[in-house]
Amino acid sequence: MDKNLVTLASSLLICIFHLYRVDAVFNYLNVTCLPEYGNYTEGSIYQQNLDSLLLNLSSHRSTRAYHNSTAGDVPNKVYGLYQCRGDVTQEVCSECIQDATQKIVQGCPLVAEAGAWYDECMLRYANHSIFSTFEKLPGGYTWSKRNVSDYHKLAPVLASTLRSVINGAAPISSRGHFATKANNWTLFNYVYCLAQCTPDLTEFDCRDCLTRARSIMVNDFNTSIRVAIFYASCQLRYDTTRKFYREIIATPPAPSPSNTTVPGNDVLINDKRKIVP
Ligand SMILES: *[C@@H]1O[C@H](CO)[C@@H](O)[C@H](O)[C@H]1NC(C)=O
Ligand SMILES: *[C@@H]1O[C@H](CO)[C@@H](O)[C@H](O)[C@H]1NC(C)=O
Ligand SMILES: *[C@@H]1O[C@H](CO)[C@@H](O)[C@H](O)[C@H]1NC(C)=O
Ligand SMILES: *[C@@H]1O[C@H](CO)[C@@H](O)[C@H](O)[C@H]1NC(C)=O
Ligand SMILES: *[C@@H]1O[C@H](CO)[C@@H](O)[C@H](O)[C@H]1NC(C)=O
Ligand SMILES: *[C@@H]1O[C@H](CO)[C@@H](O)[C@H](O)[C@H]1NC(C)=O
Ligand SMILES: *[C@@H]1O[C@H](CO)[C@@H](O)[C@H](O)[C@H]1NC(C)=O
Ligand SMILES: *[C@@H]1O[C@H](CO)[C@@H](O)[C@H](O)[C@H]1NC(C)=O
Ligand SMILES: *[C@@H]1O[C@H](CO)[C@@H](O)[C@H](O)[C@H]1NC(C)=O
């Protein structure tokens, strides 16, 4: 076959591959390692347990949006869970978790407790139980350095939209603890909010987690065009530039979302602060 034809054919294949893949995109943010809570050694029982835990979690990724599991026995018992964002497809969820099981061990080698963060999913493990308890760590924030110019207009609308999204996510529903909400803060500008907790949390703990996230959000990043707070047990985010989530339940017609992310030099820092109960 002609060499150009081969090149063309493979380009086409790559194109088709990309077209097919378009649906399953996910965006890696960071991993957070907590070495201060313990390390394990190469070839240790803890490492073997961690490997089988990650296999176990991964084996559920194509059917479940949330899963928790353990491997081994105390003192080498490993506890792990993953969660996908309430609006992502199972296909995206699955690919996101597959990637997370790899990035988390590459990013936090020999560390007993860690978390991996994506826009679409999160995965974490520890050498202590992490189920049914509200925890902030491991976690992190992303925000844009770009500011909203008329923040005084956004502030009251953001406050009420966050309140509403927290109230929506706190009670457990068929979708777990998940809610989205959009409101306009000028005639034409909208703010899009999303809140989610892991489904093992009570309504009280979910609300507590989201309320703490909100307080960081409005106090530390109050004029940013978008902020996302990722805690181990919950996430809270807003964006004034685009609708970053998929609408799932029928709602009144929203404005057509813009397709592109406004560049804003987003930064992500890991939160190393301990939980302040
Ligand atoms: C986790 O590992 C650290 C360091 O080895 C240890 O101090 C801690 O007691 C372990 N926690 C549990 C619950 O085993
Ligand atoms: C784990 O290792 C890191 C660096 O390698 C160290 O800073 C940390 O203190 C260790 N953790 C424990 C619990 O020994
Ligand atoms: C995953 O772990 C759970 C216990 O945490 C166990 O019941 C289940 O059989 C495991 N599944 C696989 C596929 O290993
Ligand atoms: C955004 O506002 C913060 C706090 O007021 C300020 O420190 C920062 O420089 C501003 N960013 C830009 C890009 O103007
Ligand atoms: C939101 O849009 C409506 C019209 O659709 C307008 O009446 C209202 O004033 C807007 N809200 C704000 C805060 O500008
Ligand atoms: C997963 O979490 C639930 C609480 O939401 C708990 O009852 C269950 O035991 C956990 N699973 C494992 C394998 O520990
Ligand atoms: C934004 O946060 C800064 C620093 O925490 C604070 O000084 C300022 O009053 C806040 N502005 C608004 C509008 O809340
Ligand atoms: C968004 O994308 C659609 C098709 O993908 C296009 O028709 C539309 O013009 C785009 N809108 C903006 C604001 O770029
Ligand atoms: C991840 O976090 C580390 C330190 O906490 C930081 O140096 C790094 O730039 C972050 N990576 C991304 C992609 O934000």
Side-chain angles (χ1 to χ4, degrees):
M1 204 169 19
D2 187 305
K3 196 175 164 212
N4 288 333
L5 260 183
V6 174
T7 314
L8 179 64
S10 53
S11 309
L12 274 176
L13 271 180
I14 289 167
C15 270
I16 290 165
F17 181 68
H18 278 289
L19 278 178
Y20 171 72
R21 299 273 301 190
V22 147
D23 214 15
V25 286
F26 52 85
N27 183 37
Y28 170 68
L29 295 171
N30 216 337
V31 293
T32 306
C33 320
L34 299 177
E36 54 274 40
Y37 301 118
N39 301 307
Y40 61 87
T41 52
E42 196 73 58
S44 61
I45 298 173
Y46 192 86
Q47 185 175 44
Q48 291 164 25
N49 290 339
L50 176 58
D51 288 347
S52 68
L53 172 87
L54 292 173
L55 273 177
N56 188 311
L57 291 178
S58 195
S59 71
H60 293 94
R61 68 190 161 83
S62 56
T63 52
R64 294 190 191 174
Y66 168 87
H67 185 60
N68 61 9
S69 183
T70 64
D73 300 306
V74 176
N76 291 301
K77 190 169 180 175
V78 192
Y79 304 75
L81 61 82
Y82 73 74
Q83 183 178 33
C84 292
R85 213 172 69 190
D87 62 315
V88 306
T89 63
Q90 199 60 44
E91 188 195 2
V92 171
C93 178
S94 175
E95 300 214 357
C96 192
I97 295 304
Q98 181 182 35
D99 197 64
T101 54
Q102 293 160 9
K103 287 244 171 46
I104 200 166
V105 284
Q106 288 162 8
C108 300
L110 307 180
V111 175
E113 177 164 2
W117 307 97
Y118 293 71
D119 276 326
E120 294 79 13
C121 75
M122 66 89 138
L123 184 148
R124 53 187 289 239
Y125 61 77
N127 71 345
H128 58 90
S129 178
I130 52 175
F131 310 137
S132 309
T133 54
F134 154 45
E135 292 192 300
K136 281 167 74 177
L137 294 181
Y141 318 132
T142 69
W143 83 99
S144 170
K145 287 177 181 164
R146 277 189 46 193
N147 291 322
V148 172
S149 53
D150 32 10
Y151 182 74
H152 65 284
K153 285 188 185 154
L154 173 62
V157 176
L158 179 59
S160 72
T161 313
L162 288 176
R163 199 179 313 123
S164 140
V165 88
I166 290 173
N167 285 335
I172 195 89
S173 74
S174 57
R175 298 170 69 200
H177 293 290
F178 179 77
T180 59
K181 177 90 180 150
N183 271 323
N184 63 314
W185 53 284
T186 70
L187 268 182
F188 308 109
N189 292 108
Y190 278 72
V191 59
Y192 302 93
C193 296
L194 180 150
Q196 182 170 34
C197 299
T198 54
D200 53 340
L201 286 199
T202 61
E203 175 171 353
F204 180 88
D205 283 345
C206 178
R207 189 182 297 280
D208 190 18
C209 188
L210 291 169
T211 304
R212 289 165 193 249
R214 175 177 62 190
S215 129
I216 300 286
M217 183 176 260
V218 299
N219 291 323
D220 295 6
F221 307 107
N222 59 12
T223 55
S224 176
I225 57 169
R226 62 171 158 262
V227 181
I229 309 289
F230 296 97
Y231 284 156
S233 299
C234 72
Q235 64 166 296
L236 183 68
R237 52 197 302 181
Y238 76 82
D239 196 326
T240 59
T241 66
R242 69 190 180 111
K243 186 174 180 181
F244 59 92
Y245 51 81
R246 284 194 319 139
E247 203 72 67
I248 295 194
I249 37 176
T251 48
S256 76
S258 75
N259 302 342
T260 47
T261 301
V262 175
N265 285 330
D266 287 22
V267 283
L268 183 96
I269 6 172
N270 292 332
D271 184 5
K272 288 298 201 175
R273 282 177 287 185
K274 271 292 274 168
I275 298 175
V276 187

